[in-house]
Structures are given as structure tokens and as C-alpha cells.
Amino acid sequence: MKKTIAVLGLGLFGSAVAKTMAKNGSEVIAIDSNMDHVEEVLDSVYNAVQADFTKIDQLKEAGVGEVDTAVVATGEKLEVTILGIMNLKKLGIQEVIVKTKNLSYKEVLLKVGATRVILPEVEMGVRLANELSNTSVLDTFELDEKYHLVELNVMKQWIGNSLNNLNLRSEHGLNIIAIKSSETNQYNPQVDPNYLIREGDVFLVFSENKKINTSLDI
């Protein structure tokens, strides 16, 4: 069954979400009041509509009431975002993800019905800082305020040791989800505690945000 999603606001962020979701097989309804923005995604999504998402009747007409998830991707004016969220909740949309640029808006947006609030600039700043301050970190993805996923090169002192011997969970707070072997260059989610770590291996780990830079002595 295809995932259905509505993207409200087609700036750089919204259009990227809409096009990528469509490319990944989702049925996307893309909405913006600016026809130029609508035309930019017209050939990429299931339905692109020029509409004002602060008007619930226009959302209904576009078919937004039938989607699984909605993304409010404007984030410019608080009152516009709030009206969008309230309309989506009235339509019965269970998952409403909201973009904002203002950290102080987050609590307000959650209270009026957003299930998740993201701050792309803040999150990318944290992500870049983690990568720059930790030479073993290849990539990070923050799941929430407490946890994130980290892709990292194995440390030199780990090479030749088994996972059992290193006790990465208890000593470093790193829960290994998958290992990309230097030989296959593919992730394997079947993590063997007796696996001997090799140079060039990459770990995908689940970790607390505060531990990733303090627990690894790099």
C-alpha cells in the first residue's frame, strides 16, 4: 500500500520533500499559493495544487483529508503555520510534521497539534558540528532531542578485537545496529558479537546525543 502525504508549502524544503517522497514511491499532494512553486513540482508528484492551506475547504478539495501524513513546510509566519495545523487536525490527519525556523515556536506548534516539529537549520548545524569535531563520524541523523543514529569509521584501537571484548554499549553508550564490512561494502544488520573488527569497517550505531563526542576519545 502506497504511503500518501501532503506537503503544504513548496519552497526549497517543501519541494525537496515532495519530489523525494514521490521518487520513493509515495503518493504526494503538493500545495502552495504561488503557482510558480506549484509548476516546479507538477511533473514530479501525484497532484500539485495552487491553494491556500489556511482555508480548510481548499484542503478538502485538493484531497488532503485522505492522506496519512502532512508536512507543513513554510515556517515563515507562526499564525499561518498554526492555521494549517488546525485545519489538518480537523481533517483527521494523524501525523502532522511541521518545519519552523524559530526554536521558541516549537512548544506552541506541538500544543496546537503538530506531532513533530523540525528545525532544519539547527539540525544541520548540529550535524555538521558533530562531523567536524569527531573525525570518525561520517554522518549523523538526529532522531529527537535525546538520541541519534551515527555512521562512523571504526577506531584504530578497535581493530582486531571482537565486539564482545570491546563492550561498546556499556563503555561508550553505542548500540550497534549494523556493520558495513570493508570487504563487502554493504551493511549487515545481523550483528555477530564475536565479529572481529577490521580496518575499513563502518558501524551504524544508536546513541545518546550527549555521548557521541564525549565517549569516543578521538
Side-chain angles (χ1 to χ4, degrees):
M1 185 177 179
K2 283 188 176 181
K3 184 177 181 67
T4 57
I5 182 170
V7 180
L8 281 53
L10 300 172
L12 290 175
F13 178 80
S15 61
V17 172
K19 289 178 180 179
T20 304
M21 290 295 295
K23 185 178 180 181
N24 290 339
S26 296
E27 196 171 89
V28 179
I29 299 174
I31 295 175
D32 199 286
S33 58
N34 186 323
M35 192 58 195
D36 289 339
H37 292 170
V38 174
E39 289 177 348
E40 287 179 9
V41 303
L42 194 60
D43 296 331
S44 303
V45 303
Y46 167 74
N47 191 20
V49 180
Q50 182 183 21
D52 180 355
F53 63 77
T54 66
K55 311 292 185 185
I56 193 168
D57 57 328
Q58 295 187 28
L59 290 179
K60 286 180 180 178
E61 189 175 345
V64 173
E66 307 301 319
V67 304
D68 303 312
T69 301
V71 178
V72 182
T74 53
E76 297 295 337
K77 295 182 179 179
L78 180 60
E79 62 272 23
V80 171
T81 302
I82 288 175
L83 284 171
I85 295 170
M86 293 177 69
N87 285 338
L88 292 168
K89 300 309 287 187
K90 287 177 183 177
L91 291 174
I93 310 302
Q94 296 299 310
E95 185 177 21
V96 178
I97 301 169
V98 182
K99 171 206 166 191
T100 183
K101 291 184 176 181
N102 195 323
L103 184 60
S104 64
Y105 291 171
K106 183 174 182 179
E107 187 176 350
V108 174
L109 297 174
L110 290 170
K111 284 184 177 179
V112 297
T115 52
R116 180 182 174 190
V117 177
I118 59 174
L119 293 91
E121 292 182 359
V122 174
E123 292 172 11
M124 283 305 298
V126 171
R127 183 174 177 176
L128 178 61
N130 280 330
E131 293 175 16
L132 294 176
S133 62
N134 193 327
T135 56
S136 278
V137 173
L138 297 174
D139 203 358
T140 63
F141 177 76
E142 190 165 354
L143 300 173
D144 55 30
E145 293 180 355
K146 189 174 182 182
Y147 297 104
H148 63 195
L149 293 176
V150 185
E151 187 180 42
L152 60 107
N153 286 318
V154 298
M155 297 173 66
K156 289 182 179 180
Q157 58 265 40
W158 295 352
I159 297 171
N161 288 285
S162 69
L163 297 176
N164 259 341
N165 290 339
L166 290 174
N167 296 318
L168 295 178
R169 179 181 296 179
S170 59
E171 293 189 13
H172 297 289
L174 303 178
N175 298 283
I176 300 176
I177 298 173
I179 298 175
K180 182 162 65 176
S181 168
S182 55
E183 294 182 346
T184 64
N185 202 34
Q186 292 182 336
Y187 272 115
N188 181 3
Q190 305 298 323
V191 179
D192 182 358
N194 295 312
Y195 177 79
L196 294 178
I197 299 169
R198 303 168 186 174
E199 185 175 359
D201 286 351
V202 177
F203 288 170
L204 182 64
V205 304
F206 178 80
S207 173
E208 286 189 49
N209 295 341
K210 64 181 180 180
K211 288 186 177 180
I212 191 62
N213 287 321
T214 58
S215 64
L216 298 179
D217 184 20
I218 301 173

